[in-house]
């Protein structure tokens, strides 16, 4: 998809379709839909539709008008943005995505998008619009033999002429983030026979080789065992597929040497549950149990292109979790890289085992701050549904910085507790800890397990089990497809930390 920026007046731009956002400036009892931007020709084109209540401004509502009078575009698509008082980047991304998916379904691959100006300025409007359009352009049906490619071709972002240099830069950033998010989604979308740990490592290597500023190291089973990563190895020992430890480094010149962020991702390319095998119903979705690791790879792609002044290292622990004669069993005791002993209660609580060694390795490599992402527990879905991811952290500053980053990125997370009292649930009678604290507070006890391996290092754990995959039909994103969350938030976190370490403090970021 080619994204361009146009500074021509919206009504005079010749295009297949001009997309205009409609915001409701009234309330529930007295709606007052208005077109934004407030161009007289666009207002006139919308007037009859608004009067007929065919255009209301309701979020993600779409109404197509053919051959509009006084406008050079062949069509106008009015897309609802919801109430004007609460309209922000989150709503704009979804409105842009809803418009893109609607037009794709009509075979329209070229359009211009006239975004309203957000409180943060039009540059942020342009970036959010581009990100939303990229999310909408992804379709998961890559292996259908009769697949009709409806990918978007050319999209113009309309902007005020006074903002030319700033908007051009923001659009370019949006393209980098959008492409990286869809790169992540491509990885997650692959079936497990086409995305083994070895293939994931090779896809990461190919990405690094085409991305200046990154380096990569890939270690196999022998090296994992030699480093005494007993927790990681215990998960992989039941599979015929060899595991891979994927380490990607970004070390820009001029970065503060005292700060290094470690991004640790769970990449279980297929999770049967092992000996504690899962039910057959829905097990096919366990191909996306590597979404956390894929997100870290995609994040490294984005930051290397955006070039923030912060050293970052991604550690991705890739394996399958399979039942076999060599698989670990409930009751086994494993020794993690840190030396901590773990009693295996449930072999389906495997993600925390690979992350335990990944987190310790990142610490050993000098990371001063740690963030991990994983489709870790069904319990977080019970707690938060499919709307918010869970954030667990031992450090208020890091947690607050990440939550601020989610606001800028338009992704939803909610902080969860990790009080010391929960540690009682993971005590073992034979080893230091058990790998499953049982049903109650399952997402919390999983986080408490990970906390054992980070010590005093500032750390945040992102449980994305409910948000990494979109099962339902939504107007802004394809159903039955990966989301690529939380790539945008991680990118914003890195950029915020880079600004702070450079002394460029802002009201939104503390470090």
């Amino acid at each position: 998809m080619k994204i361009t920026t146009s500074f021509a007046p919206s009504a005079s731009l010749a295009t297949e379709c001009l997309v205009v956002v409609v915001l409701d400036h009234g309330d529930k009892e007295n709606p007052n839909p208005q077109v934004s931007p407030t161009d007289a020709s666009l207002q006139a084109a919308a007037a009859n539709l608004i009067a007929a209540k065919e255009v209301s401004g309701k979020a993600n509502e779409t109404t197509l008008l053919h051959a509009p009078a006084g406008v050079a575009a062949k069509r106008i698509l009015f897309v609802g943005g919801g109430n004007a008082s609460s309209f922000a980047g989150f709503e704009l991304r979804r409105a842009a995505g809803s418009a893109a998916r609607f037009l794709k379904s009509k075979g329209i691959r070229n359009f211009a998008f006239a975004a309203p100006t957000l409180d943060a300025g039009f540059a942020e409007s342009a970036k959010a619009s581009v990100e939303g359009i990229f999310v909408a352009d992804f379709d998961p049906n890559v292996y259908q033999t009769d697949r009709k490619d409806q990918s978007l071709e050319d999209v113009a972002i309309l902007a005020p002429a006074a903002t030319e240099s700033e908007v051009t830069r923001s659009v370019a950033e949006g393209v980098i983030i959008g492409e990286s998010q869809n790169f992540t989604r491509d990885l997650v979308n692959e079936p497990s026979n086409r995305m083994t740990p070895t293939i994931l490592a090779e896809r990461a290597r190919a990405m690094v080789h085409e991305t200046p500023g990154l380096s990569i190291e890939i270690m196999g089973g022998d090296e994992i065992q030699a480093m005494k990563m007993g927790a990681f190895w215990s998960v992989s020992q039941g599979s015929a597929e060899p595991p891979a430890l994927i380490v990607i480094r970004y070390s820009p010149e001029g970065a503060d040497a005292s700060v290094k962020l470690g991004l640790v991702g769970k990449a279980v390319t297929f999770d049967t549950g092992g000996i504690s095998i899962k039910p057959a119903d829905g097990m096919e979705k366990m191909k996306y149990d590597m979404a956390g690791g894929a997100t870290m790879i995609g994040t490294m792609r984005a930051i290397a292109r955006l070039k923030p002044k912060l050293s970052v290292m991604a550690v991705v622990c890739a394996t399958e979790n399979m039942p076999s004669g060599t698989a670990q069993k409930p009751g086994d005791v494993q020794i993690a890289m840190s030396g901590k002993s773990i009693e295996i209660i449930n072999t389906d609580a495997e993600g925390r085992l690979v992350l335990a060694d990944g987190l310790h390795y990142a610490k050993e490599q000098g990371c001063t701050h740690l963030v991990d992402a994983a489709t870790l527990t069904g319990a977080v879905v019970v707690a938060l549904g499919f709307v918010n991811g869970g954030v667990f952290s031992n450090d208020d500053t890091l947690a607050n910085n990440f939550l601020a980053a989610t606001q800028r990125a338009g992704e939803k997370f909610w902080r969860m507790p990790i009080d010391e009292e929960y540690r009682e649930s993971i005590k073992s009678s034979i080893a230091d800890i058990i790998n499953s604290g049982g049903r109650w507070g399952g997402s919390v006890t999983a986080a408490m397990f990970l906390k054992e391996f980070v010590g005093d290092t500032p750390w945040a754990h992102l449980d994305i089990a409910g948000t990494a995959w979109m099962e339902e039909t939504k107007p802004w994103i394809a159903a039955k497809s990966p989301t690529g969350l939380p790539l945008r938030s991680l990118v914003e976190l890195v950029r915020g930390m880079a600004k702070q370490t450079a002394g460029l403090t802002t009201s939104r970021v503390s470090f």
Side-chain angles (χ1 to χ4, degrees), residues 252-274:
E253 290 186 10
D256 186 337
S258 67
V259 180
K260 184 177 182 180
L261 176 63
L263 301 177
V264 182
K266 170 191 173 184
V268 177
T269 59
F270 195 78
D271 180 19
T272 67

CSV table of all heavy atoms in Angstrom, one decimal, residues 252-274:
chain,number,residue,atom,x,y,z
A,252,PRO,N,21.9,2.0,19.3
A,252,PRO,CA,22.2,3.2,18.5
A,252,PRO,C,23.3,4.0,19.1
A,252,PRO,O,23.5,4.1,20.3
A,252,PRO,CB,20.8,4.0,18.6
A,252,PRO,CG,20.2,3.6,19.9
A,252,PRO,CD,20.6,2.1,20.1
A,253,GLU,N,24.0,4.7,18.3
A,253,GLU,CA,25.1,5.6,18.7
A,253,GLU,C,24.4,6.8,19.5
A,253,GLU,O,23.3,7.3,19.1
A,253,GLU,CB,25.9,6.2,17.6
A,253,GLU,CG,26.8,5.2,16.9
A,253,GLU,CD,27.6,5.8,15.8
A,253,GLU,OE1,27.7,7.0,15.7
A,253,GLU,OE2,28.3,5.0,15.1
A,254,GLY,N,25.0,7.2,20.6
A,254,GLY,CA,24.5,8.3,21.4
A,254,GLY,C,23.5,7.9,22.4
A,254,GLY,O,23.0,8.8,23.1
A,255,ALA,N,23.2,6.6,22.5
A,255,ALA,CA,22.2,6.2,23.6
A,255,ALA,C,22.9,6.2,24.9
A,255,ALA,O,24.1,6.0,25.0
A,255,ALA,CB,21.7,4.8,23.2
A,256,ASP,N,22.1,6.5,26.0
A,256,ASP,CA,22.6,6.5,27.3
A,256,ASP,C,23.0,5.0,27.7
A,256,ASP,O,22.2,4.1,27.7
A,256,ASP,CB,21.5,6.9,28.3
A,256,ASP,CG,22.0,7.1,29.7
A,256,ASP,OD1,23.0,6.4,30.1
A,256,ASP,OD2,21.3,7.8,30.5
A,257,ALA,N,24.3,4.8,28.0
A,257,ALA,CA,24.8,3.5,28.2
A,257,ALA,C,24.3,2.9,29.5
A,257,ALA,O,24.4,1.7,29.7
A,257,ALA,CB,26.3,3.5,28.2
A,258,SER,N,23.7,3.7,30.4
A,258,SER,CA,23.2,3.2,31.7
A,258,SER,C,21.8,2.6,31.6
A,258,SER,O,21.3,2.1,32.6
A,258,SER,CB,23.3,4.3,32.7
A,258,SER,OG,22.3,5.4,32.4
A,259,VAL,N,21.2,2.8,30.5
A,259,VAL,CA,19.8,2.3,30.3
A,259,VAL,C,19.7,1.3,29.2
A,259,VAL,O,20.1,1.6,28.1
A,259,VAL,CB,18.8,3.4,30.1
A,259,VAL,CG1,17.4,2.9,30.0
A,259,VAL,CG2,18.9,4.4,31.3
A,260,LYS,N,19.1,0.1,29.4
A,260,LYS,CA,19.0,-0.9,28.4
A,260,LYS,C,17.7,-1.6,28.6
A,260,LYS,O,17.5,-2.2,29.7
A,260,LYS,CB,20.1,-1.8,28.3
A,260,LYS,CG,20.1,-2.8,27.2
A,260,LYS,CD,21.3,-3.7,27.2
A,260,LYS,CE,21.4,-4.7,26.1
A,260,LYS,NZ,22.6,-5.6,26.2
A,261,LEU,N,16.8,-1.5,27.7
A,261,LEU,CA,15.5,-2.2,27.8
A,261,LEU,C,15.5,-3.6,27.2
A,261,LEU,O,15.9,-3.8,26.1
A,261,LEU,CB,14.4,-1.3,27.1
A,261,LEU,CG,13.0,-1.9,27.1
A,261,LEU,CD1,12.4,-2.0,28.5
A,261,LEU,CD2,12.1,-1.0,26.2
A,262,GLY,N,15.0,-4.5,28.0
A,262,GLY,CA,14.9,-5.9,27.5
A,262,GLY,C,13.4,-6.2,27.2
A,262,GLY,O,12.6,-6.1,28.1
A,263,LEU,N,13.1,-6.7,26.0
A,263,LEU,CA,11.8,-7.1,25.6
A,263,LEU,C,11.8,-8.6,25.4
A,263,LEU,O,12.5,-9.1,24.5
A,263,LEU,CB,11.4,-6.4,24.2
A,263,LEU,CG,11.4,-4.9,24.2
A,263,LEU,CD1,11.1,-4.4,22.8
A,263,LEU,CD2,10.4,-4.3,25.2
A,264,VAL,N,11.1,-9.3,26.3
A,264,VAL,CA,11.1,-10.7,26.3
A,264,VAL,C,9.8,-11.3,25.8
A,264,VAL,O,8.7,-10.9,26.4
A,264,VAL,CB,11.4,-11.2,27.7
A,264,VAL,CG1,11.5,-12.8,27.8
A,264,VAL,CG2,12.8,-10.6,28.2
A,265,GLY,N,9.8,-12.2,24.9
A,265,GLY,CA,8.5,-12.7,24.3
A,265,GLY,C,8.4,-14.2,24.3
A,265,GLY,O,9.3,-14.9,24.0
A,266,LYS,N,7.2,-14.6,24.7
A,266,LYS,CA,6.9,-16.0,24.6
A,266,LYS,C,6.5,-16.4,23.2
A,266,LYS,O,5.6,-15.7,22.6
A,266,LYS,CB,5.7,-16.3,25.6
A,266,LYS,CG,5.1,-17.7,25.4
A,266,LYS,CD,3.7,-17.8,26.1
A,266,LYS,CE,3.0,-19.1,25.8
A,266,LYS,NZ,1.7,-19.2,26.5
A,267,ALA,N,7.2,-17.4,22.7
A,267,ALA,CA,6.9,-17.8,21.3
A,267,ALA,C,6.7,-19.3,21.2
A,267,ALA,O,7.5,-20.1,20.7
A,267,ALA,CB,8.0,-17.4,20.3
A,268,VAL,N,5.6,-19.8,21.8
A,268,VAL,CA,5.2,-21.2,21.7
A,268,VAL,C,4.4,-21.4,20.5
A,268,VAL,O,3.3,-21.0,20.4
A,268,VAL,CB,4.4,-21.7,23.0
A,268,VAL,CG1,4.0,-23.1,22.8
A,268,VAL,CG2,5.3,-21.5,24.2
A,269,THR,N,5.1,-21.9,19.4
A,269,THR,CA,4.5,-21.9,18.1
A,269,THR,C,3.3,-22.8,17.9
A,269,THR,O,2.5,-22.7,17.0
A,269,THR,CB,5.6,-22.2,17.0
A,269,THR,OG1,6.1,-23.5,17.3
A,269,THR,CG2,6.7,-21.1,17.0
A,270,PHE,N,3.2,-23.8,18.8
A,270,PHE,CA,2.0,-24.5,19.0
A,270,PHE,C,1.9,-25.1,20.4
A,270,PHE,O,2.9,-25.7,20.9
A,270,PHE,CB,1.8,-25.6,18.0
A,270,PHE,CG,0.3,-26.1,18.0
A,270,PHE,CD1,-0.6,-25.4,17.3
A,270,PHE,CD2,-0.1,-27.3,18.7
A,270,PHE,CE1,-2.0,-25.8,17.3
A,270,PHE,CE2,-1.4,-27.6,18.7
A,270,PHE,CZ,-2.3,-26.9,18.0
A,271,ASP,N,0.8,-24.9,21.1
A,271,ASP,CA,0.7,-25.4,22.5
A,271,ASP,C,-0.5,-26.4,22.6
A,271,ASP,O,-1.6,-26.0,22.6
A,271,ASP,CB,0.4,-24.1,23.4
A,271,ASP,CG,0.3,-24.5,24.8
A,271,ASP,OD1,0.7,-25.6,25.2
A,271,ASP,OD2,-0.3,-23.7,25.6
A,272,THR,N,-0.1,-27.6,22.7
A,272,THR,CA,-1.1,-28.7,23.0
A,272,THR,C,-1.5,-28.7,24.5
A,272,THR,O,-2.4,-29.4,24.8
A,272,THR,CB,-0.6,-30.1,22.6
A,272,THR,OG1,0.5,-30.4,23.4
A,272,THR,CG2,-0.1,-30.1,21.1
A,273,GLY,N,-0.6,-28.1,25.3
A,273,GLY,CA,-0.7,-28.3,26.7
A,273,GLY,C,0.2,-29.3,27.3
A,273,GLY,O,0.4,-29.5,28.5
A,274,GLY,N,0.9,-30.1,26.4
A,274,GLY,CA,1.8,-31.1,26.8
A,274,GLY,C,1.0,-32.3,27.4
A,274,GLY,O,-0.1,-32.6,27.0
